[in-house]
Amino acid sequence: MADQENPVFQIQRVYLKDLSLEQPNSPAILLEQEQPSVDIQLGVEATPVAEGVYEVAVTATVQTKINDKTVFLVEAKQAGIFEIRNLPEDQMGAVIGIACPQIIYPYLRGNVADVVTRAGFPPVHLAEINFQAMYEQQQAQAAAAQGGADANPNPALQ
């Protein structure tokens, strides 16, 4: 009977779940003339909330340093609640690992650029991300780690 039902993919809500900004070496570091180095880390996670409802979150950590001193550190987690029902199990991983992060990521980019600008720095514009390539790389790593046997088709839900 469930096979005859139409697939459902709906965004229930997109929200900023967590945001922090640190400038531990201000104001002295602001007087430095040297260009800072920028390190950006991204992550995606998914959590089942209820039957057919998932929270998917994309996290960005942006750290700028001059030599070994932090100029600023921004950590942001943008999340969304998605209703996903009546999809074949082999498609769930791709929807949660690719489609959902693609929807959330532009909000994350805007929030990071905004908080950095409000902190008094030129905005940091996070690059566009190919979530499909990122997901496929994670799948390949998971398969290699398990020797290719019994690989979970949906590592986001582990």
Side-chain angles (χ1 to χ4, degrees), residues 138-152:
Q138 289 170 342
Q139 291 292 97
Q141 289 172 347
Q146 295 184 8
D150 299 323
N152 183 347

Side-chain angles (χ1 to χ4, degrees), residues 34 44 65 108 122-123:
E34 199 174 323
V44 177
K65 289 184 170 185
L108 178 66

Side-chain angles (χ1 to χ4, degrees), residues 9-14 52-56 79-84 99-101 103-104:
F9 178 78
Q10 292 184 335
I11 304 166
Q12 300 295 325
R13 175 169 290 184
V14 174
V53 180
Y54 302 87
E55 178 190 61
V56 178
I81 298 174
F82 297 88
E83 181 180 2
I84 308 168
C100 295
I103 292 167
I104 297 167

Side-chain angles (χ1 to χ4, degrees), residues 16-17 22 36 38 56 75 78 83 100 106 110 118 130 142 155:
L16 183 61
K17 186 165 184 165
E22 299 174 27
V38 179
V56 178
E75 295 174 307
Q78 190 77 39
E83 181 180 2
C100 295
R118 290 177 184 267
N130 182 339

